Amino acid sequence: VEERELTIMFLVDLSGSTAFGSAGTLKHRVATELCAVLALSAIKNRDNVGLLLFTDRVELFLPPKQGSTHVLRLIREVLSFQPVGRGTDVRVALEYLARVMRRRAVVFLLSDFFCGDIRRPLAVANRRYDLISVRLVDPREETLPHVGWLRLEDLETGQEVLLDSAKAAVRQGYEQWAAAQRARVLEMVRAAGVDLVDVRTDRPYLDPLLRFFRMRSRRR
């Protein structure tokens, strides 16, 4: 089968919440490694690769190009770029991409999706591109440890809250909130017809990605 040249875009969330990791690896670090693996594989296929870094604004845009020099710069930017914003606005990133890139592309959207309702911008982007959502997940965003009083800080707003994790009701309430957040994101992407892959900081990130690509291959 003749391979066709592709355009691959990485939309990477650099909001404050991606600078979190309780399992020895930050969500941002996992996103960087995923981009590196996929971008380096694109060199072999002579694909065009581009990058859009965002928070509550567009922080950086690198138009798609070929070549190892460009790909290495892309990886370096994901790894070391210092964003101005702290919040998350996926809508801004998708709308900016639609303005600057008209061609068909495979778009990887890497985010923890701590944002508002983005069903419509996801659906619009998915009609124009082949959009794949990669959700970055840390285990401490799903469950609280049983360790007594905890001071938790929202890394995007700076707001702090004290929780007594020794209380079963507190831990249960936190887990219910996390489950509702997961369900909300899943409903948004499904309503938009977008594929979703969960990548965790406490597990090998290649396994869910390989399962996803095998499923996609069978489906097509």
Side-chain angles (χ1 to χ4, degrees):
V1 179
E2 182 182 352
E3 292 188 357
R4 293 181 300 170
E5 179 185 294
L6 292 175
T7 296
I8 300 172
M9 280 296 305
F10 298 104
L11 272 61
V12 183
D13 180 357
L14 292 186
S15 61
S17 57
T18 65
F20 176 72
S22 65
T25 304
L26 301 180
K27 288 185 285 183
H28 171 233
R29 181 73 185 195
V30 173
T32 301
E33 292 181 11
L34 274 175
C35 287
V37 168
L38 293 169
L40 290 172
S41 68
I43 294 177
K44 293 183 180 179
N45 298 329
R46 297 183 180 178
D47 294 331
N48 297 290
V49 185
L51 174 68
L52 193 156
L53 302 178
F54 71 95
T55 53
D56 49 17
R57 67 200 74 186
V58 173
E59 301 277 355
L60 176 72
F61 174 66
L62 297 180
K65 292 182 182 178
Q66 295 180 357
S68 57
T69 301
H70 173 70
V71 167
L72 290 175
R73 184 198 169 186
L74 182 151
I75 295 169
R76 185 171 64 250
E77 293 288 5
V78 180
L79 179 64
S80 60
F81 188 87
Q82 296 299 311
V84 175
R86 300 292 293 170
T88 307
D89 196 332
V90 177
R91 181 190 303 269
V92 164
L94 292 173
E95 290 178 350
Y96 182 89
L97 184 66
R99 291 195 300 271
V100 298
M101 215 178 75
R102 304 290 184 179
R103 75 182 78 171
R104 184 74 177 169
V106 178
V107 177
F108 290 92
L109 172 59
L110 295 91
S111 176
D112 51 21
F113 292 95
F114 291 137
C115 59
D117 191 331
I118 53 170
R119 278 173 289 191
R120 188 175 184 280
L122 283 174
V124 170
N126 197 42
R127 287 195 293 270
R128 175 170 290 180
Y129 314 112
D130 183 3
L131 183 61
I132 300 168
S133 295
V134 180
R135 177 169 49 179
L136 308 169
V137 182
D138 187 88
R140 282 295 165 257
E141 293 169 339
E142 299 181 326
T143 60
L144 285 177
H146 190 324
V147 292
W149 284 98
L150 289 173
R151 184 187 299 274
L152 304 180
E153 179 185 353
D154 186 321
L155 293 174
E156 297 192 6
T157 66
Q159 184 177 357
E160 294 184 352
V161 62
L162 280 173
L163 293 178
D164 186 0
S165 66
K167 294 182 178 179
V170 171
R171 297 195 305 275
Q172 184 179 13
Y174 186 87
E175 290 173 9
Q176 289 173 345
W177 171 85
Q181 166 69 9
R182 289 196 305 274
R184 185 182 69 88
V185 174
L186 185 58
E187 191 277 330
M188 282 194 303
V189 297
R190 282 182 173 172
V194 177
D195 288 320
L196 178 69
V197 187
D198 276 353
V199 173
R200 301 176 59 90
T201 60
D202 59 340
R203 297 175 191 170
Y205 56 82
L206 284 180
D207 292 345
L209 205 62
L210 290 173
R211 284 196 302 270
F212 166 73
F213 284 127
R214 284 195 293 266
M215 178 200 71
R216 241 169 100 95
S217 179
R218 289 194 301 267
R219 192 171 65 198
R220 291 186 173 184

